[in-house]
Amino acid sequence: MRPFCNGDTPFMNRIIAIVFNFCIVTLVSLHGLSLPAFDRLPVGTHPLALESPHFPSRLHAFIWRNWQLVPPSKMAQLVGTETTNIERIAESMGLPQVDSVSGEMRERGYITLIRRNWHLLPYEQMLELLDMTPDELALTLREDDFLYIKLGNLKPKCEPLRYQEPDEAAVQRAAEIKQVVREHFGDLELVESEPRFRFVKTLSSTEGTTVLPDRNTVNREQPLRMVYSYFGLFGDPLIEPEIEPIPDGLLARLADKGVNGIWMHVVLRQLAPGGEAFPELGAGHEQRIQTLKKLVAQAKRYGIGIYLYINEPRAMPPAFFETRPELAGIRRGDYWTMCTSTPQVRNWMSDSLAHVFGEVPDLGGVFTITASENLTNCASKGQHHLCPHCSTRTDAEIIAEVNATIAEGVHRANPDARVIAWDWGWKGHGDAPDIISLLPKDVALMSVSEWALPIERGGVASKIGEYSMSAVGPGPRATKHWKQAQQAGLKTVAKVAVNNTWEISAVPFLPVMDLVAEHCENLSEVGVDGTMLSWTLGGYPSPNLLVSQSFSTEPGATKETVLNRIAQDRFGDDAAPLVRQAWTAFSDAFRNFPYSGAVMYKAPQQMGPANLLYADPTGYRATMVCFPYDDLNGWRSPYSTDVFASQFEMVADGWAGGIRHLEQAVQATAGVQREAAESDLSVARAAHLHFASVANQARFVLARDAALASSDDSKQKLVEQILQITENEVSLARDMFDVVSEDSRIGYEASNHYFYVPLDLVEKVINCEHVASRFSAQP
């Protein structure tokens, strides 16, 4: 049942829709009725979806954005037409023919499909496109690295999309699009493009690897060097055993780079039975345990341990507490905490972990987050005073007790397994000596190395939070916490980033080797007992990992000796000096990155040239690493608009110098070393195009807003600036199309899947031409 709106303004339409929907929900509730399943999915403020005016219609946009990703027959079925009609419209816009479509995008790239159809389809058609049930999609939105938050905590309002025969104007516009495509890219039929996810096949193969699967155990005495699988699924990675998250080829390559730990996300209620206390929990746990056993055995053969990310206990809906209200803690939204101050909840947690480690005794261990974005224990959001059980307790007592409960369960089954307590979020990311002092002695304390490090970029003084490679740690919070932990008799672990961060995650690694080596050298002087080298991003088996391995295993290692040896081994004696110059240039350029939490999460560096330009302000706010839109004020904090753009220009300009050195290095190599050099050059070029495009986009929004507000002689100069920027963006998109077509790694990150695909760069050119025509036609 859908609302009918006939207000005179968009604002009135929204008000009427909200009131109508409220009445409908109230009506069905009073009469014991139920809404359709898809209407129970979250919608938030439910604003009108953005249009794509560079396409003739929403149908054309839908076909374009799903071309090569979804079978034409599936698209035809969804909009109620014949496949030939979908193919005819695609051909009219210059899209290449599609013989078959791999199922990998549905299996490994479903988040890409969700994101690119978020403004095009209502939920009921999204479910059909994804072959998901409402419950499956709801779980994905909630548990797949809080995807719904990344999507903006709202679902844009879209009417069902139905096929309509294109009218004369649409046919003419499609022909214009085809002409733009031919002018800038030639015939797309003739473009040789590496299929998306080809890197999975490459990295899964053991061809060319040197590490043999001949280990019988995981050496827990070695310093931990742990990453996430480069292409591991995040939400529920153990339920589909046919989708391998860590195949032999990847294990061999990571082991060769010194990795001895891989972590994966799990939800405890899915991995263990709920027992007598919670019999409804644990559905499918047998399958997940079997998959986990297989992965653990497979990784052990390469000397790599599997570690579980434990972020528990997850909050539950009200129905869970109907027969056990005494276990409910605090409420946030539609969910309540399972209060860990109650023995029943703690017993379930420890028993569940004892079950898992008893069934899979070769597991390496766990790491915990006890104050994350997810609602877990009552102190996880600092609101424990609202809980009847926790109100007289301190946050330190509650958080330390949760970690002790987890450690007890793990060590009851396997005393040798590592339990690592991460201080993320404790005291609002402040000092937490009281929590550290209460931790059991059989856990290690992990802290983000660079946290609280003072920096100055563009004259703006600030402090690093996390996910920074542009600033070299450790910072004062980590060093203080490690010292307190060591004094308390605990081992210590540094959470660092050696491959990439949310500063830019759309490339598998950043060749800023000087920065990586400086950080590793500093950590060797501090004396931590292990390192977590990546979050979901950063698990690629790159040469950056060799830096960490060298400082972890070689007493007296220095930046110069380590980098010189890696350069010589990877590229040869002739190319090594040029590569070292390139690494230094990249590192020096990256020191100018305008770091802040807002810039990392909301600016367009994940999308780069694929992010569209908007001739009119969208009114949408940028979301976490997902939709930048045109929200310059959201992108830039705490920097001024000009400083923000200038800093990205400095990064891009300095990066270009590094590329010139790396191009020369490629010419000085041959054979396997040439392949490695060309692979690294592809990554470096992609990063440069992203940085340059962010600066461009910032300048565009500034000029656009000024032009729209101007009515004097200055408007013509602003329009000229806009036309120059759109021309520059066209050039960047064309260059990016070449890079991403040849390299399926570019644009991918494990928890977000593909931020963009090659045809998005073609669309960007169409978009830029349309925006330019809009402004050039203005008086």
Side-chain angles (χ1 to χ4, degrees), residues 213-493:
D214 56 0
R215 317 292 174 86
N216 294 317
T217 185
V218 174
N219 186 350
R220 292 189 178 90
E221 299 303 314
Q222 289 181 340
L224 180 65
R225 294 184 296 277
M226 178 170 63
V227 300
Y228 189 77
S229 168
Y230 178 55
F231 45 80
L233 297 180
F234 190 87
D236 191 0
L238 300 174
I239 199 61
E240 298 186 62
E242 67 276 8
I243 303 178
E244 286 194 281
I246 45 171
D248 282 274
L250 181 60
L251 288 166
R253 288 173 173 84
L254 289 173
D256 185 52
K257 302 297 189 297
V259 169
N260 58 18
I262 292 177
W263 68 269
M264 61 173 46
H265 168 261
V266 295
V267 176
L268 196 54
R269 67 174 182 265
Q270 297 176 334
L271 197 56
E276 294 183 4
F278 308 121
E280 69 268 50
L281 303 186
H285 76 275
E286 299 93 344
Q287 173 63 67
R288 294 182 179 91
I289 288 292
Q290 289 304 312
T291 304
L292 185 58
K293 285 181 178 179
K294 174 187 172 183
L295 295 177
V296 168
Q298 186 179 10
K300 186 176 76 168
R301 295 165 63 215
Y302 293 88
I304 294 175
I306 300 295
Y307 293 78
L308 304 181
Y309 162 32
I310 300 298
N311 186 204
E312 299 287 347
R314 297 298 178 93
M316 299 294 286
F320 179 80
F321 300 99
E322 286 180 357
T323 59
R324 48 179 82 96
E326 73 281 3
L327 302 185
I330 65 169
R331 178 179 180 177
R332 192 178 180 93
D334 296 330
Y335 283 75
W336 293 79
T337 61
M338 295 173 66
C339 179
T340 57
S341 290
T342 62
Q344 298 97 315
V345 173
R346 294 199 305 277
N347 289 340
W348 166 75
M349 289 176 62
S350 61
D351 289 347
S352 295
L353 285 161
H355 172 82
V356 172
F357 277 77
E359 289 289 313
V360 195
D362 287 329
L363 273 167
V366 303
F367 74 89
T368 72
I369 302 185
T370 42
S372 78
E373 294 94 339
N374 287 321
L375 181 63
T376 53
N377 64 78
C378 296
S380 61
K381 300 294 183 183
Q383 296 179 312
H384 51 288
H385 60 282
L386 300 176
C387 171
H389 307 293
C390 299
S391 59
T392 60
R393 308 186 70 195
T394 67
D395 60 341
E397 291 171 332
I398 296 167
I399 289 174
E401 184 178 61
V402 172
N403 281 289
T405 299
I406 292 169
E408 190 281 325
V410 170
H411 288 150
R412 190 196 320 167
N414 185 348
D416 295 325
R418 285 180 167 121
V419 176
I420 302 165
W422 193 355
D423 63 9
W424 200 98
W426 292 357
K427 305 290 185 180
H429 302 302
D431 294 339
D434 50 347
I435 301 177
I436 296 171
S437 67
L438 294 176
L439 291 174
K441 305 306 179 185
D442 57 353
V443 308
L445 177 78
M446 181 161 72
S447 194
V448 174
S449 177
E450 64 269 23
W451 208 293
L453 187 72
I455 62 167
E456 182 178 321
R457 307 276 166 90
V460 178
S462 63
K463 292 183 179 180
I464 294 293
E466 60 178 332
Y467 295 123
S468 177
M469 291 178 70
S470 64
V472 175
R477 182 177 189 257
T479 51
K480 185 182 297 183
H481 277 192
W482 291 329
K483 184 176 181 180
Q484 291 165 345
Q486 290 164 348
Q487 291 172 344
L490 308 179
K491 290 188 175 182
T492 56
V493 178

Side-chain angles (χ1 to χ4, degrees), residues 46 78 159 272:
H46 207 33
L78 190 144
E159 293 302 318

